[in-house]
Amino acid sequence: MEILTGKQIYEVDQATIKNQGISSLDLMERAGTACFNWIHSRLQGNPIKIHVFCGIGNNGGDGLVIARHLHQHGYNVKIYVVNFSDKRTEGFLKNYDRLKEIGVWPEIIKCKEEFPEILPTDVVVDAIFGIGLSRKIDGFTTDLINYINQIKAYTLAIDIPSGLYPDKSCVKDCAVIEASHTLTFQRPKLAFLLPENERYIYTWEAINIGFDENYIAQMKVSNFTIEKQGVLPIYKPRDKFTNKGTYGHSLIIGGSFGKIGAATLASKGALKIGSGLVTAYIPKCGYTILQTSIPEVMVEVDNEKELEFFNFKTKPTVIGIGVGIGISEKTKKGFEKFLETNKLPLVVDADAINILAENKKLLKLLPENTVLTPHPKELERLVGKWKDDYDKLEKLKKLSSENKIIVTLKGANTVIAVGETLYFNTSGNPALATAGTGDVLTGVITGLIAQGYEPVQATILGVYLHGITANLALKDMSIETFTASTVIDYLGKAFMSLFIDDRPKPSKKENSEKHNKTENEEDNYV
């Protein structure tokens, strides 16, 4: 799914109005009605008190539409206009008039003394500021946002939490609504996927308001989310008349004394994801461990306790390197000599990244489209400190572009940089925050490249499947009991999940309405 900038969303808004022959007021009605339907489907007339806070712009207009529908359906709703300016948009004014026409007069808030009483058991709908916000919030509106946050009531943000910028970081001490959930319009904002915004974006979902999809499809977009519908076309089904040689040979170079487990996990990941052959190149001290724990994997050895020579004899398709190798002087020198002669595709992780960070000239020895899989601290060693998460993404893109490599920054929304393009993963959960899951990911991406997937495809598919294992496993266990080996155990189910239709099924009422609509259309046609 495309991640659009604030400017692009405005362009889509205008294109939808023009291409569909509707007014901006019609589009606002669509958006507000879609949000109301989401609320109504969950509350089902519950008498819980709902506070709708509306700004005086288009986001406030959306909030007024929601409030009108809530009132007309008998909900216990209180409506407030946050009067932070004497300017009003046309959409706000029209929907304010529609409320007055049905006898509803919102309360006007002009100062701190006019804040309403809100209980933690109430619901708050935040429609104060939208994506057009371009300055730091000040005055009593800051106090209002802080007041709402302190109550800890369930807070539903409309399109974006008020005070949050879609395309840049908040300035110091900025006031932002800490939303329990956000209903965003058809496409997510980049801000939703950044760690520094976690407190403002607990969960979010994109709801359909009828934006012109054809227009979106032809836009030049640089940021995307990784979801099932985008991953499924990448999958390569296997032909009947094939053999193990068809699916490549993965070589995992890793391990040192006390860290043979890292090479073992990476080798298992490559094997389980479908690599036809897997060889592990490890220190001698790990020979018995690896041969015993994975009989399907072949083993070659180097020095007794650490890698030094990198003189493997096998002829692999792709090499995954770095898991658990350490940073001894002998290993560093051996790794540098390896890079000077290697021409094979690489997946580089862990200590191999740390060695690159110590001697950045080695980056130029990496083959084009090498995949790096750093965690944030390893990335920092490569690119230096960043001011905020937006700056971090700029550094990530620069690292990828300048060295023509693919950089996969591991985290809650693992982000893959391919030049100036970013892909944010949406699968997974905090269960993956445990030792060894990164080693498995290295093996998974390596194993996919071995099978003939292009490195970018292998990285996107591998990251998504890796995350899905955690989603599936939590049906059977707790977050705390999830381990790196669980990722391997659930890779098969992760593959199968690609082919399961898990979209919400329409209710009997929706089916009936669809049937009646079809009959009416047929009558009109006749």
Side-chain angles (χ1 to χ4, degrees), residues 312 316-319 337-346 364-370:
F312 53 88
T317 311
V318 56
I319 299 173
K337 289 181 179 179
F338 162 78
L339 290 180
E340 288 172 350
T341 58
N342 173 69
K343 303 298 180 185
L344 292 170
L346 290 181
K364 297 303 179 184
L365 299 178
L366 298 175
E368 188 170 337
N369 288 323
T370 288

Side-chain angles (χ1 to χ4, degrees), residues 265 349 374-376 408-415 425-442 444 460-474 477-491 494:
L265 288 168
D349 188 24
H375 56 57
T408 302
L409 176 60
K410 295 177 286 194
N413 288 113
T414 292
V415 56
N425 188 44
T426 59
S427 65
N429 55 59
L432 289 164
T434 187
T437 54
D439 302 326
V440 177
L441 179 61
T442 295
V444 165
I460 292 172
L461 179 58
V463 165
Y464 179 80
L465 292 175
H466 184 266
I468 283 293
T469 63
N471 294 352
L472 295 170
L474 290 199
M477 64 181 67
S478 71
I479 284 179
E480 294 79 7
T481 56
F482 186 96
T483 68
S485 293
T486 313
V487 176
I488 296 165
D489 293 339
Y490 277 82
L491 275 175

Side-chain angles (χ1 to χ4, degrees), residues 160-383:
I160 190 169
S162 290
L164 189 64
Y165 304 117
D167 308 314
K168 63 177 182 177
S169 288
C170 300
V171 296
K172 188 178 180 181
D173 300 325
C174 57
V176 182
I177 285 287
E178 296 173 5
S180 309
H181 190 64
T182 298
L183 297 179
T184 196
F185 298 152
Q186 212 142 324
R187 292 296 189 276
K189 283 67 176 171
L190 185 59
F192 297 178
L193 301 163
L194 304 181
E196 66 188 359
N197 294 330
E198 179 185 11
R199 61 188 289 200
Y200 314 123
I201 298 286
Y202 185 70
T203 55
W204 61 270
E205 63 185 281
I207 59 172
N208 192 339
I209 65 168
F211 276 154
D212 189 328
E213 288 290 346
N214 290 330
Y215 186 84
I216 293 174
Q218 57 83 37
M219 296 181 80
K220 184 178 180 181
V221 179
S222 299
N223 302 321
F224 300 85
T225 58
I226 302 173
E227 300 177 80
K228 181 193 287 190
Q229 59 266 37
V231 166
L232 187 55
I234 295 174
Y235 174 73
K236 296 177 181 286
R238 294 195 168 190
D239 295 330
K240 179 179 179 180
F241 296 102
T242 55
N243 56 64
K244 62 186 179 184
T246 309
Y247 302 108
H249 189 163
S250 298
L251 175 63
I252 300 296
I253 300 178
S256 56
F257 184 77
K259 295 180 181 178
I260 299 302
T264 304
L265 288 168
S267 298
K268 281 185 177 180
L271 187 70
K272 195 65 178 281
I273 204 69
S275 181
L277 296 164
V278 179
T279 294
Y281 183 83
I282 58 175
K284 288 179 183 177
C285 63
Y287 179 82
T288 301
I289 296 171
L290 211 141
Q291 286 273 264
T292 304
S293 59
I294 328 175
E296 300 94 339
V297 171
M298 298 172 284
V299 179
E300 290 189 40
V301 295
D302 194 294
N303 210 335
E304 183 62 39
K305 293 186 177 182
E306 61 188 1
L307 298 178
E308 178 181 357
F309 303 110
F310 294 81
N311 58 349
F312 53 88
K313 302 300 187 292
T314 190
K315 295 182 180 179
T317 311
V318 56
I319 299 173
I321 189 167
V323 293
I325 64 173
I327 53 172
S328 73
E329 288 304 317
K330 289 181 179 179
T331 300
K332 290 178 185 177
K333 290 178 181 178
F335 178 59
E336 182 173 350
K337 289 181 179 179
F338 162 78
L339 290 180
E340 288 172 350
T341 58
N342 173 69
K343 303 298 180 185
L344 292 170
L346 290 181
V347 179
V348 182
D349 188 24
D351 286 324
I353 294 176
N354 292 328
I355 295 171
L356 291 174
E358 287 185 15
N359 184 2
K360 295 183 178 62
K361 292 180 180 179
L362 298 180
L363 287 166
K364 297 303 179 184
L365 299 178
L366 298 175
E368 188 170 337
N369 288 323
T370 288
V371 181
L372 263 63
T373 59
H375 56 57
K377 199 64 184 177
E378 289 165 346
L379 178 68
E380 185 183 297
R381 295 181 189 123
L382 280 170
V383 301

Side-chain angles (χ1 to χ4, degrees), residues 43 48-52 119 121-125 153-156:
L43 292 184
I48 189 171
K49 193 168 187 178
I50 304 172
H51 304 266
V52 183
L119 300 178
T121 52
D122 296 342
V123 169
V124 172
V125 176
Y154 183 90
T155 303
L156 180 68

